[in-house]
Amino acid sequence: MTKPAVNGPAGKCPADFDFFSQQTLNCPYEFYKVLQEQAPVYLLPGTNIFMVTRYSDIKKILKNTQTFSNNFTEQLKGPEPDPEVTAIYASAWQPVDTLITADPPRHRTYRTLVNKVFNASRVNAMEDYMRTIVHELIDNFIERGECDFIREFTTPLPVYVIADQLGVPRSEVKDFKNWSDSFARRLSQMATPEEQVEDAENIVAFQFYFAEMCDRRRKDPRDDMITDLVNTEIECPDTGEMRALNMEELQSLLQQLMVAGNETTTSAITGGMVSLIQNPQQMRDLQEHPELIPNAVEEILRMETPSSGLWRVVKKDAEIEGVHIPQGSLLMLRYHAANRDRDLFQQPNDLDIARENANDHIAFGQGIHFCPGAMLARKEMNVAFCALLSRLTNMQVDEEKSDLSYWPNIVLRGIKELHLTFNKR
Ligand code: HEM
């Protein structure tokens, strides 16, 4: 039930935008504003996807897990993949719903487990160790006065942290990025046929690697998350009996811990650095007053929202903002738009590191699926910006080498290439 296009910027209406185009992905803000004003629940043309952009609507939907389900695997299957792709996946473990695609009560079994693994004392105890990683990464490029920021800093940081936590040796970390990229691309459903084959091969390679790793940890336990996961018992969601996690469940949890934590943290720090470069006075304020960094991190999370949108499946007919949503439809909850909703955030497209309500963002979602890695990601971001701002100054984007456009992905939002020049501080 779209209102007439009377209030949009320059008289625009939703149909003037193509959500899936590179242009809109790069700069969706005008589109979000038009939607929030005219069609807060918008059926994307040619699809059964309703995009929800208002903060208040998204918060309501997140609370109602009976009507709005996370079990979106079937809906996203898309057209039958090439037989080559199907055969590759068939050679390994099949997906099961554990966290992100599980609904209550099943979700609770796995979530309790992950909450135990990601407890506050474990994450707090990691601060010094994170600082060591961050300084080592900076040491590797600081003398050059320039760096490939994504490859040399924002990608390795979360990969090293999660790999160390899982117990993967540094020497074996090199394939992580490829695997992680393939998971992310598969989630977005925007891969070409050739990329689908590449992704299937990477995902299966990941599975075999971790299956072997789980076997090793069963025989030779260590103080790491994989050891915790293989040795723990859960109440089986189907039978209620206590038992160990099976390999499908282990694969599902490990995949999510790896993918969810890597791309997102990389994109948050990368995008945050670009925003600060574009706002040099705020960069200077942070350098002079590092105590402002925690709030700046929240503001960066609000602005970047690396998990830019997540799916929900409509389990029974529903109505939001007067729009009838039939059972079986897909919702795209646009967290990125909600975090720029003028009803809550003034001048939402401006970075304001002192914004009083920056922390009201929903970059980590809300409700039962609230990101279990939020504490870890926040700590990584704080430690990273503290070290970068204390050791580097006069940061600039190397325009010739950088590409500040975004990857073609509607679920995970990240800048493609960022090369920096700087002076030592
Ligand atoms: C800046 C970094 C991060 C952002 C922006 C982010 C964002 C999110 C969001 C929005 C959700 C909720 C999804 C939904 O509504 O369905 C989520 C869930 C999740 N995140 Fe994160 N995340 C980040 C870092 C991490 C890290 C470091 C980890 C783990 C190492 C992690 C693991 C997960 C998992 C496993 C879930 C699923 C939880 C569930 O369904 O119960 N995330 N994340």
Side-chain angles (χ1 to χ4, degrees):
M1 218 173 288
T2 306
K3 285 189 216 145
V6 283
N7 294 324
K12 289 203 168 155
C13 71
D16 293 330
F17 299 85
D18 173 5
F19 173 58
F20 299 97
S21 72
Q22 187 64 46
Q23 194 188 355
T24 311
L25 277 175
N26 285 344
C27 189
Y29 310 110
E30 205 185 6
F31 184 39
Y32 291 161
K33 183 167 188 280
V34 169
L35 289 180
Q36 283 166 342
E37 286 175 358
Q38 300 176 34
V41 179
Y42 178 61
L43 180 60
L44 290 167
T47 73
N48 69 338
I49 304 169
F50 289 83
M51 185 143 96
V52 186
T53 47
R54 281 190 189 158
Y55 186 90
S56 54
D57 291 330
I58 292 181
K59 281 186 79 156
K60 270 185 232 149
I61 292 167
L62 290 174
K63 283 191 192 133
N64 185 350
T65 56
Q66 297 263 314
T67 307
F68 305 110
S69 157
N70 265 56
N71 195 203
F72 47 73
T73 323
E74 275 303 310
Q75 273 76 3
L76 288 190
K77 265 199 173 143
E80 194 59 30
D82 192 276
E84 189 185 352
V85 173
T86 310
I88 298 171
Y89 284 122
S91 68
W93 290 269
Q94 299 314 300
V96 289
D97 299 313
T98 54
L99 292 172
I100 196 82
T101 54
D103 288 329
R106 186 181 175 84
H107 173 262
R108 191 199 306 262
T109 303
Y110 303 101
R111 183 62 196 230
T112 311
L113 182 66
V114 169
N115 286 349
K116 248 193 268 166
V117 171
F118 270 106
N119 60 59
S121 61
R122 191 174 216 157
V123 175
N124 283 330
M126 286 165 63
E127 187 162 333
D128 285 344
Y129 138 86
M130 278 181 194
R131 203 169 286 122
T132 308
I133 296 183
V134 160
H135 282 288
E136 278 172 11
L137 291 171
I138 298 175
D139 288 343
N140 290 340
F141 60 69
I142 191 162
E143 295 304 328
R144 298 205 312 267
E146 52 89 28
C147 70
D148 180 339
F149 192 56
I150 297 178
R151 263 169 221 95
E152 294 185 84
F153 190 81
T154 63
T155 297
L157 170 60
V159 172
Y160 286 175
V161 170
I162 195 65
D164 287 351
Q165 292 309 301
L166 290 172
V168 177
R170 282 285 165 83
S171 57
E172 294 172 17
V173 150
K174 63 179 186 328
D175 291 327
F176 256 52
K177 180 64 184 146
N178 282 344
W179 295 340
S180 181
D181 284 350
S182 285
F183 280 116
R185 197 161 56 188
R186 190 183 188 202
L187 191 66
S188 173
Q189 299 277 306
M190 287 171 87
T192 63
E194 293 74 32
E195 288 169 342
Q196 285 178 26
V197 174
E198 190 192 333
D199 292 345
E201 281 167 351
N202 277 334
I203 288 168
V204 165
F206 167 92
Q207 293 192 339
F208 281 106
Y209 176 86
F210 274 101
E212 204 212 312
M213 181 84 150
C214 290
D215 285 345
R216 265 191 272 156
R217 289 296 185 271
R218 269 193 205 102
K219 290 180 200 136
D220 178 17
R222 304 266 172 91
D223 179 17
D224 59 39
M225 276 193 210
I226 295 196
T227 304
D228 285 359
L229 290 174
V230 294
N231 285 330
T232 200
E233 290 215 320
I234 56 159
E235 192 182 313
C236 176
D238 303 318
T239 64
E241 282 165 23
M242 296 303 286
R243 61 159 175 80
L245 290 165
N246 61 37
M247 188 48 79
E248 282 78 10
E249 292 166 327
L250 282 167
Q251 293 285 356
S252 167
L253 291 170
L254 290 167
Q255 283 173 20
Q256 289 179 70
L257 292 176
M258 191 182 82
V259 184
N262 286 347
E263 298 296 318
T264 44
T265 312
T266 297
S267 303
I269 303 174
T270 307
M273 179 56 83
V274 173
S275 286
L276 288 173
I277 290 172
Q278 288 166 347
N279 292 273
Q281 183 54 50
Q282 297 194 52
M283 175 94 91
R284 280 192 292 278
D285 291 346
L286 283 186
Q287 286 181 310
E288 279 158 31
H289 299 283
E291 69 278 10
L292 300 176
I293 290 177
N295 200 63
V297 162
E298 298 307 321
E299 174 68 348
I300 286 168
L301 284 163
R302 182 190 73 79
M303 295 275 288
E304 299 307 319
T305 314
S307 274
S308 52
L310 253 298
W311 306 107
R312 292 294 183 273
V313 179
V314 181
K315 284 284 192 206
K316 42 189 169 191
D317 284 4
E319 192 173 299
I320 314 168
E321 296 282 1
V323 178
H324 174 73
I325 309 188
Q327 180 188 347
S329 309
L330 263 180
L331 294 186
M332 153 66 41
L333 304 184
R334 207 69 196 152
Y335 296 147
H336 192 223
N339 282 340
R340 302 212 177 206
D341 189 333
R342 283 161 179 76
D343 276 356
L344 193 74
F345 301 109
Q346 287 178 5
Q347 307 288 343
N349 296 329
D350 295 344
L351 180 81
D352 174 4
I353 56 166
R355 189 184 291 277
E356 281 182 5
N357 66 347
N359 209 358
D360 286 341
H361 68 76
I362 48 170
F364 291 117
Q366 212 170 61
I368 64 163
H369 294 279
F370 177 80
C371 176
M375 218 187 331
L376 183 69
R378 284 184 159 124
K379 201 167 275 300
E380 283 178 48
M381 290 180 68
N382 273 282
V383 169
F385 280 110
C386 270
L388 289 164
L389 296 174
S390 69
R391 297 187 65 190
L392 315 180
T393 194
N394 192 26
M395 279 84 104
Q396 301 291 338
V397 175
D398 183 335
E399 301 284 351
E400 268 187 21
K401 292 186 185 161
S402 300
D403 176 356
L404 299 189
S405 63
Y406 287 80
W407 291 109
N409 189 318
I410 56 169
V411 175
L412 296 175
R413 182 170 174 78
I415 286 173
K416 283 184 182 163
E417 290 277 344
L418 177 60
H419 293 253
L420 296 181
T421 59
F422 53 81
N423 297 118
K424 261 164 84 169
R425 200 168 173 215

